[in-house]
Amino acid sequence: MTLRLIYASPTHSADLFYWGRIFTSDCFLAFEVEGQRYAIGNHLEIDELRRHSRFDRILLPEDLSPDRHPGTADLIQRICEKFPNHELLLPRDFPAYLVLELQGRGIQFSIADGEFLPERSLKFPEELIQIRRACSIIGHAFEAVCSILENSKIIDGFLHGDNGILTSEFLRSEIERICFSEGAIARETIVSCGADAAFPHNRGKGKLKANEFIVVDIFPRLVESGYYGDMTRTFLRGEPSKQQREMYDAVEAVQRWAIGEICAGKDGKDIHEGSVAMFKEMGYDTTHSTGFFHATGHGVGLDLHENPFIGERSHRLRSGEVITVEPGLYYPDRGGVRLEDVLLVREDGAEYLSNFSYDWVL
Ligand code: GLY
Ligand code: MN
């Protein structure tokens, strides 16, 4: 039998948070064996863990070791002695210094080959509620973005708001303020305009221009439950050119097609390859850094990017998985367009967990 063990802070380890449903800033040891989840808390955390976490058993270090101040490797050794004949399995991000200490003590272990908690991919109904909630907060932020852009004045090719020229930084701060006011923390929000939008993760900087694509990608995490939402819309204030309309329409068509393909049993690789092929048929070639050169989507939950990934690797979709579908086109001379929604995989199709209009010319 396997003994899965983590030493981390749940603020940084979605796996540990999944077990205990409690955030602590400090690292602690937790393990799962024979269907029971254990946490070993220090005297600062023990009360919180006992009162608010979902662990089955909460121990103090002295419950395992007679030493006054046992080290983490000592405790792991004690745990292994308590559960002999179990295979110790560690996550890939397990601290390297502890790996060396375990090796030094001759403790046998293996490192997870990929996901440590594969069960995280299949979402429970209460997890879907949280992801939907995160996406609805993004919708409120998009409403504000649209209103600011629609009400802006175009002066000398730049967008002006009530308090002067509009910038990526201003829109980002408005978006993140709205998310925070509704219980979610948004970081690294993307508001990229013009040439900046040709790079998918360029966060954007400086003055917003009329008649250029503005890619807005918002991915806040709910403060209480830890779940993410992840949506992207592309806007343009002013008059799009024929070339811009065609590029936007191509991305929208591919997104609609890819979402229509989702159902249990479908290989995500086929959806990804079909998306690339569809762009190519419409005249949008892809190189390593232009065209459509990222994955079509990714799982989303307690991590922003988690399994399954909808890209070049084969993965048969399963009912209950939550994925994004986010095709995009990026060319330095034209800027970029990306559209992203969050979908629940069902037996016979996809259900939107995100919801916002695709009106883009403002
Ligand atoms: N929305 C950010 C990303 O998926 O990369
Ligand atoms: Mn995404």
Side-chain angles (χ1 to χ4, degrees):
M1 278 180 70
T2 306
L3 188 158
R4 297 193 284 190
L5 182 139
I6 303 178
Y7 179 70
S9 141
T11 305
H12 299 114
S13 164
D15 288 331
L16 182 52
F17 183 79
Y18 189 82
W19 277 352
R21 304 285 169 177
I22 189 169
F23 287 115
T24 67
S25 355
D26 286 343
C27 293
F28 64 89
L29 260 180
F31 59 100
E32 183 198 60
V33 65
E34 296 170 359
Q36 295 278 299
R37 290 174 185 162
Y38 296 73
I40 303 169
N42 61 29
H43 285 271
L44 295 177
E45 308 283 11
I46 197 85
D47 184 54
E48 278 293 290
L49 284 168
R50 288 205 167 123
R51 282 207 282 174
H52 299 300
S53 84
R54 288 206 203 156
F55 288 102
D56 300 301
R57 304 277 307 275
I58 293 144
L59 309 174
L60 281 163
E62 52 261 42
D63 295 327
L64 284 168
S65 168
D67 297 349
R68 210 167 123 63
H69 295 296
T72 308
D74 295 318
L75 291 171
I76 296 173
Q77 186 162 7
R78 298 278 174 180
I79 292 164
C80 292
E81 286 163 6
K82 206 167 148 59
F83 296 98
N85 309 320
H86 286 73
E87 206 177 295
L88 178 61
L89 182 69
L90 308 173
R92 287 155 74 102
D93 56 358
F94 196 75
Y97 78 94
L98 281 176
V99 166
L100 293 178
E101 282 196 45
L102 298 186
Q103 280 174 335
R105 288 164 188 253
I107 295 172
Q108 300 289 312
F109 58 86
S110 46
I111 306 271
D113 179 18
E115 293 164 282
F116 185 64
L117 301 182
E119 60 269 39
R120 273 180 45 204
S121 296
L122 295 180
K123 305 299 194 273
F124 293 110
E126 55 270 33
E127 296 182 283
L128 300 176
I129 291 169
Q130 297 300 321
I131 296 169
R132 219 187 257 284
R133 199 176 135 229
C135 290
S136 88
I137 293 173
I138 301 174
H140 299 156
F142 275 135
E143 278 167 19
V145 168
C146 286
S147 159
I148 292 168
L149 293 177
E150 266 165 357
N151 291 317
S152 67
K153 291 194 181 64
I154 301 173
I155 303 172
D156 295 334
F158 292 101
L159 307 187
H160 288 250
D162 294 341
N163 298 314
I165 205 150
L166 290 181
T167 61
S168 292
E169 290 85 343
F170 171 73
L171 271 192
R172 181 158 44 243
S173 70
E174 280 299 287
I175 291 165
E176 295 184 354
R177 186 184 58 73
I178 290 165
C179 290
F180 191 64
S181 74
E182 298 195 26
I185 293 183
R187 301 170 60 98
E188 285 96 42
T189 302
I190 294 169
V191 182
S192 60
C193 177
D196 283 350
F199 301 94
H201 279 180
N202 186 321
R203 293 174 61 199
K205 181 165 176 243
K207 301 170 188 172
L208 296 177
K209 295 183 199 134
N211 311 325
E212 298 270 3
F213 291 127
I214 304 172
V215 172
V216 182
D217 186 344
I218 312 174
F219 39 100
R221 188 176 200 198
L222 294 174
V223 172
E224 288 285 326
S225 70
Y227 284 88
Y228 279 92
D230 190 8
M231 291 177 72
T232 306
R233 288 293 184 266
T234 300
F235 304 104
L236 184 146
R237 170 82 172 120
E239 261 316 304
S241 66
K242 181 166 173 289
Q243 186 189 52
Q244 285 169 324
R245 279 193 189 278
E246 287 171 355
M247 193 161 143
Y248 187 95
D249 289 347
V251 174
E252 194 176 0
V254 168
Q255 200 211 26
R256 202 173 316 120
W257 174 82
I259 291 173
E261 287 296 296
I262 293 172
C263 63
K266 188 89 190 176
D267 193 335
K269 179 173 185 250
D270 292 339
I271 299 179
H272 178 66
E273 287 179 350
S275 302
V276 176
M278 215 171 140
F279 277 130
K280 193 169 168 60
E281 271 164 35
M282 291 189 278
Y284 296 100
D285 286 335
T286 288
T287 68
H288 69 283
S289 60
T290 61
F292 175 42
F293 59 93
H294 55 66
T296 296
H298 55 84
V300 60
L302 288 176
D303 274 318
L304 173 64
H305 294 152
E306 61 181 41
N307 279 299
F309 289 89
I310 312 303
E312 289 172 3
R313 287 213 186 148
S314 191
H315 169 77
R316 292 237 168 258
L317 293 171
R318 294 173 301 162
S319 182
E321 288 176 340
V322 171
I323 56 171
T324 66
V325 174
E326 49 179 308
L329 283 174
Y330 312 90
Y331 297 102
D333 57 336
R334 284 175 259 176
V337 177
R338 180 167 65 257
L339 295 173
E340 176 176 29
D341 282 281
V342 180
L343 290 307
L344 166 66
V345 180
R346 287 193 170 282
E347 279 304 320
D348 52 357
E351 180 182 328
Y352 281 86
L353 299 183
S354 58
N355 175 27
F356 192 74
S357 141
Y358 294 89
D359 292 346
W360 63 287
V361 180
L362 305 171

